[in-house]
Amino acid sequence: MQMRHHRSFSRPRRLRISAAATAVLALAGCETAAPDTALPIPVAFGAGRSGPAAPVRRDWVTAFGSPELNRLVAVAQADNLDIAAAIARIQQAEAQAVVAASILYPILGGTADASRAQTATGTSILARNSFGLGLNASYEIDLFGRNQYGAVAAGETARASRFDRDTVALATTASLANAYFIVLSSQDRLRIAEDNIRIASRVLDAVQGRLRVGTGNALDTAQQESVLATQRARIPPLR
């Protein structure tokens, strides 16, 4: 009787397992290939353009529309010592370029002299003036182009120094603008924190009022006092 009782329960279980296996095989047979999820790339995205990037405008910071920021940038550009040093390097490089290029041209020189002589002849004095002018020129033949390449290198150095000055000015403006926006963000966060303190204080007054009339409990009051203390603790770092 126990075996019959066991068989009566094992047959439906085998049927359920067989049905599940059949369903799995059916699903496996109906499996399809993974869909192609690649999106077509627009023509404008695929057409890459080679060449130098557009130069950065020196007044790019005016796009933010902040007169105060524009004034700070103008002061920084005028008083920054790094920019002043970069300008001095430009002047030095340009002077060196002029010196290096001067050797490519003839060197002209001139002399001038004047003299006066007096000769006594009996009772009379004879005076004689003499003047002399001289002109000379010299030129160094650049056999292997050393002078020419030196002048070109000096000119490129002067050109690079001008880019260095623009780089220093751009970095100064970017650093100042970044600091300016950090200050504005801190001011906004401070205002929000002060508003949160006022809201938490009003909620605490309401909770304490409910406690006094017997409709509140001490737990709600303690939780709201903790919230208010947390909001107040955020003020000093922002300031």
Side-chain angles (χ1 to χ4, degrees):
M1 292 180 64
Q2 292 179 356
M3 294 178 60
R4 292 178 182 177
H5 183 73
H6 177 72
R7 290 176 180 177
S8 62
F9 284 94
S10 60
R11 181 176 300 175
R13 185 179 301 175
R14 287 196 300 269
L15 292 176
R16 287 195 297 270
I17 293 175
S18 299
T22 304
V24 170
L25 293 175
L27 291 175
C30 297
E31 183 180 359
T32 59
D36 185 9
T37 58
L39 299 177
I41 300 177
V43 179
F45 291 168
R49 297 179 180 178
S50 59
V56 180
R57 293 174 47 188
R58 292 187 177 182
D59 59 344
W60 61 270
V61 74
T62 58
F64 294 106
S66 173
E68 182 181 14
L69 179 59
N70 297 338
R71 180 184 61 81
L72 293 174
V73 169
V75 172
Q77 294 286 342
D79 297 343
N80 188 275
L81 297 180
D82 292 334
I83 297 178
I87 294 175
R89 287 193 294 269
I90 292 175
Q91 296 172 350
Q92 179 184 5
E94 289 178 345
Q96 291 176 348
V98 172
V99 172
S102 64
I103 200 173
L104 300 176
Y105 303 96
I107 300 176
L108 300 177
T111 59
D113 62 84
S115 62
R116 179 180 178 87
Q118 294 180 348
T119 304
T121 57
T123 58
S124 63
I125 298 176
L126 178 63
R128 183 178 61 182
N129 299 327
S130 62
F131 302 93
L133 294 175
L135 181 65
N136 57 69
S138 62
Y139 180 75
E140 180 181 351
I141 299 177
D142 193 6
L143 295 177
F144 302 102
R146 181 178 65 88
N147 297 335
Q148 177 68 30
Y149 290 131
V152 172
E156 293 299 326
T157 301
R159 185 167 176 263
S161 62
R162 287 191 289 270
F163 281 104
D164 290 340
R165 185 268 175 198
D166 294 341
T167 301
V168 174
L170 179 61
T172 301
T173 303
S175 178
L176 190 147
N178 185 50
Y180 180 78
F181 291 129
I182 289 176
V183 171
L184 293 184
S185 175
S186 298
Q187 291 176 350
D188 290 339
R189 293 173 60 190
L190 180 61
R191 284 193 293 268
I192 293 173
E194 291 173 346
D195 291 340
N196 291 336
I197 289 177
R198 286 191 290 269
I199 294 173
S201 298
R202 289 198 297 267
V203 174
L204 179 60
D205 293 339
V207 173
Q208 290 176 343
R210 292 177 55 191
L211 179 63
R212 286 192 296 268
V213 299
T215 59
N217 54 66
L219 178 60
D220 293 340
T221 303
Q223 289 178 345
Q224 188 58 33
E225 289 176 348
S226 175
V227 171
L228 179 58
T230 302
Q231 296 296 336
R232 286 175 176 171
R234 295 176 180 174
I235 295 296
L238 293 176
R239 286 180 177 171

